[in-house]
C-alpha cells in the first residue's frame, strides 16, 4: 500500500503548499498586478499537477489491483482518484472563464466562478485524503 500512500501524500502536500504558501506569498510580495499575472499561470500548472497526480494514483491503483489488493479496496481507490481527477479537470476548464470575468470587471461572476473552483479543489483534496485513509485502513 505504500506505493499509493506515498504518492498520494506527496501530491496532497504539494497542493496544500501551493494554496497555503505560494499564493499568499505571491500576493504580498509581487503586488496585485504582478501577482495576478503570476497566479494566472500558476493556477493552470497547479490544476494540471492535481489532474496528473490524480491520474497517476488511478494508474498505480490499477496496477496494484491486479497484484496486491482486493477488488473492494481497488474500487474505492479508483473511484476516489477518478473523482479527484474530474474535479481538477473541471477546475482547469474554469480558469479561462474566471480570468475573463476578472478582466471584464464582472465581480459577481468572478466570485461565483472562483468559489466554484475553490470548492472543486477542496473536494479533490478531500478525495486524496480519503485515498490515503482507504489505503491505510484496508
Amino acid at each position: 500500500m505504500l506505493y499509493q500512500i506515498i504518492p498520494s501524500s506527496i501530491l496532497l502536500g504539494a497542493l496544500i503548499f501551493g494554496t497555503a504558501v505560494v499564493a499568499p506569498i505571491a500576493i504580498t510580495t509581487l503586488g496585485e498586478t504582478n501577482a495576478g499575472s503570476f497566479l494566472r499561470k500558476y493556477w493552470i500548472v497547479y490544476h494540471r499537477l492535481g489532474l496528473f497526480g490524480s491520474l497517476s494514483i488511478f494508474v498505480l491503483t490499477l496496477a496494484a489491483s491486479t497484484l496486491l489488493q482486493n477488488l473492494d479496496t481497488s474500487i474505492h481507490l479508483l473511484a476516489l482518484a477518478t473523482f479527484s481527477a474530474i474535479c481538477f479537470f473541471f477546475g482547469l476548464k474554469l480558469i479561462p472563464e474566471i480570468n475573463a470575468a476578472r478582466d471584464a470587471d464582472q465581480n459577481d461572476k468572478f466570485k461565483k466562478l472562483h468559489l466554484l473552483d475553490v470548492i472543486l479543489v477542496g473536494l479533490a483534496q478531500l478525495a486524496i485524503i480519503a485515498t490515503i485513509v482507504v489505503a491505510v485502513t484496508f
Side-chain angles (χ1 to χ4, degrees), residues 65-129:
S65 67
T66 59
L67 301 172
L68 303 168
Q69 55 196 35
N70 64 37
L71 183 61
D72 196 37
T73 303
S74 295
I75 290 171
H76 284 94
L77 292 171
L78 290 170
L80 289 166
T82 302
F83 179 75
S84 179
I86 289 170
C87 288
F88 280 114
F89 176 79
F90 283 115
L92 189 59
K93 295 300 177 189
L94 278 177
I95 291 175
E97 291 182 55
I98 293 170
N99 292 339
R102 174 66 108 184
D103 293 342
D105 276 338
Q106 298 172 331
N107 290 330
D108 288 341
K109 183 177 180 181
F110 169 79
K111 287 178 183 178
K112 288 177 185 176
L113 292 173
H114 182 263
L115 178 61
L116 178 59
D117 184 48
V118 168
I119 290 169
L120 287 170
V121 168
L123 289 172
Q125 289 178 355
L126 287 173
I128 295 168
I129 291 169

Side-chain angles (χ1 to χ4, degrees), residues 26-45:
I27 292 168
T28 56
T29 358
L30 299 175
E32 190 173 331
T33 305
N34 293 330
S37 175
F38 169 77
L39 289 174
R40 285 179 183 228
K41 294 174 185 162
Y42 174 75
W43 290 125
I44 291 172
V45 172

